[in-house]
């Protein structure tokens, strides 16, 4: 009967618990917009993408914004259900992450992020093929508590993570308080439009990313145990569509947002 079919459809959707998606409570255009606990409108490319990922498995998303340093702990404790994570093999102990047939993290189910560096437009580092060597003992700024701090230090950079976000870091750069600003992006040019809109041609990006890392949809062990088919469907969707969809969503954010009230 029609009502029976509708009940069956309803129970499929109800079976997927809303996905509490944790993400940083800072303004990180084009990925996360606004800097309060509430989700902004529009929310940012990374939030739009997770809604598409969840919808592919019949799940809805509830946004939970937290300070960067609290996200992993919240996922481990199960107070959030999912987050984008630059994961390592050791993270599989605490979080559900997609395995390949050998049991290692499946890079085919990852998005990629590139660490790029912005410098003052007149800086000779722009002409260098090796920014780490060229920077020497000069200071490279990053967002406070960002995951890329430890890798940058391993590469030989002196890292200053005193500023919260891109805007504050780029202002420090223009005032010569740091000599570069490093941030992870999905494609090297993702922030170019925003930087040009805010700072004109005073700031330029080094052509070569410093490093490229994988980023996975990490899920709490508890959520995966309760929704195994949906989590597998989400990971498969990321494998098939994630990188191309993310690039398209980011392009929607290329045009600088109008100022509030305009």
């Amino acid at each position: 009967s029609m009502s029976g079919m509708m009940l069956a459809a309803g129970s499929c959707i109800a079976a997927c618990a809303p996905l509490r998606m944790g993400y940083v409570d800072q303004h990180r255009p084009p990925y996360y917009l606004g800097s309060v606990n509430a989700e902004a409108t529009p929310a940012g490319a990374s939030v739009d993408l997770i809604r598409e990922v969840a919808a592919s498995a019949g799940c809805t998303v509830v946004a939970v914004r937290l300070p960067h340093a609290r996200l992993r702990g919240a996922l481990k404790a199960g107070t959030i259900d999912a987050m984008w994570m630059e994961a390592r093999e050791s993270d599989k102990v605490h979080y559900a992450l997609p395995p390949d047939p050998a049991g290692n993290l499946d890079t085919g189910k990852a998005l990629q992020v590139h660490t790029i560096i912005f410098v003052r437009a007149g800086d000779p580092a722009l002409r260098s093929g090796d920014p780490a060597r060229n920077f020497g003992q000069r200071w490279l700024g990053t967002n406070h508590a960002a995951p890329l701090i430890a890798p940058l230090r391993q590469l030989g950079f002196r890292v200053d993570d005193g500023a919260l976000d891109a805007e504050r870091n780029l202002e420090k750069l223009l005032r010569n308080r740091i000599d570069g600003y490093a941030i992870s992006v999905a494609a090297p040019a993702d922030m170019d439009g925003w930087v040009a809109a805010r700072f004109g041609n005073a700031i330029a990006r080094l052509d070569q990313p410093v490093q490229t890392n994988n980023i996975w949809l990490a899920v709490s062990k508890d959520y995966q145990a309760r929704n195994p088919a949906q989590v597998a469907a989400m990971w498969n969707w990321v494998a098939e569509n994630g990188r191309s969809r993310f690039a398209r969503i980011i392009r929607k954010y290329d045009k600088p947002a109008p100022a509030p009230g305009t």
Side-chain angles (χ1 to χ4, degrees):
S1 74
M2 181 59 90
S3 61
M5 278 165 63
M6 286 175 72
L7 273 172
S11 66
C12 288
I13 293 162
C16 183
L19 186 76
R20 291 170 300 173
M21 177 67 185
Y23 64 97
V24 68
D25 59 359
Q26 297 297 329
H27 187 56
R28 301 268 168 95
Y31 309 109
Y32 305 108
L33 303 190
S35 56
V36 288
N37 295 347
E39 184 175 321
T41 308
S46 295
V47 185
D48 292 351
L49 183 67
I50 191 64
R51 291 195 181 284
E52 291 194 18
V53 174
S56 74
C59 307
T60 56
V61 172
V62 178
V64 181
R65 304 194 72 170
L66 293 168
H68 215 302
R70 285 179 50 200
L71 282 165
R72 280 173 167 257
L75 187 63
K76 189 172 161 186
T79 52
I80 60 174
D81 302 314
M83 63 180 278
W84 293 115
M85 181 184 289
E86 285 182 47
R88 297 175 295 279
E89 290 294 333
S90 57
D91 287 321
K92 294 184 303 193
V93 177
H94 302 300
Y95 315 105
L97 290 150
D100 68 12
N104 301 313
L105 289 172
D106 190 341
T107 54
K109 292 178 177 164
L111 302 175
Q112 283 194 312
V113 291
H114 309 276
T115 303
I116 54 165
I117 295 180
F118 289 100
V119 296
R120 289 179 293 276
D123 194 312
L126 279 168
R127 298 187 284 280
S128 160
D130 182 355
R133 189 171 302 152
N134 196 287
F135 260 72
Q137 285 307 296
R138 300 193 304 158
W139 286 101
L140 183 66
T142 65
N143 294 340
H144 182 64
L148 50 83
I149 295 164
L152 285 171
R153 287 184 174 141
Q154 283 160 8
L155 289 170
F157 288 99
R158 282 180 81 183
V159 178
D160 169 0
D161 77 326
L164 275 177
D165 56 32
E167 194 149 8
R168 289 181 178 94
N169 269 293
L170 292 169
E171 282 163 3
K172 279 173 76 169
L173 177 62
L174 286 180
R175 293 202 301 265
N176 294 298
R177 289 174 50 205
I178 54 176
D179 300 292
Y181 169 55
I183 187 165
S184 291
V185 292
D190 278 356
M191 285 185 66
D192 289 2
W194 182 81
V195 171
R198 302 306 287 253
F199 300 97
N201 54 9
I203 288 173
R205 172 174 56 81
L206 300 188
D207 285 338
Q208 276 302 105
V210 185
Q211 58 180 0
T212 296
N213 293 330
N214 291 306
I215 185 163
W216 283 274
L217 179 65
V219 178
S220 76
K221 297 260 184 175
D222 178 57
Y223 188 91
Q224 189 203 25
R226 288 182 287 118
N227 305 275
Q230 287 91 343
V231 170
M234 289 186 225
W235 286 337
N236 288 333
W237 189 93
V238 172
E240 286 158 33
N241 311 287
R243 293 183 196 184
S244 59
R245 273 305 294 155
F246 202 28
R248 279 209 291 284
I249 292 169
I250 285 165
R251 281 204 293 277
K252 291 194 314 198
Y253 286 89
D254 267 353
K255 300 160 208 53
T262 58

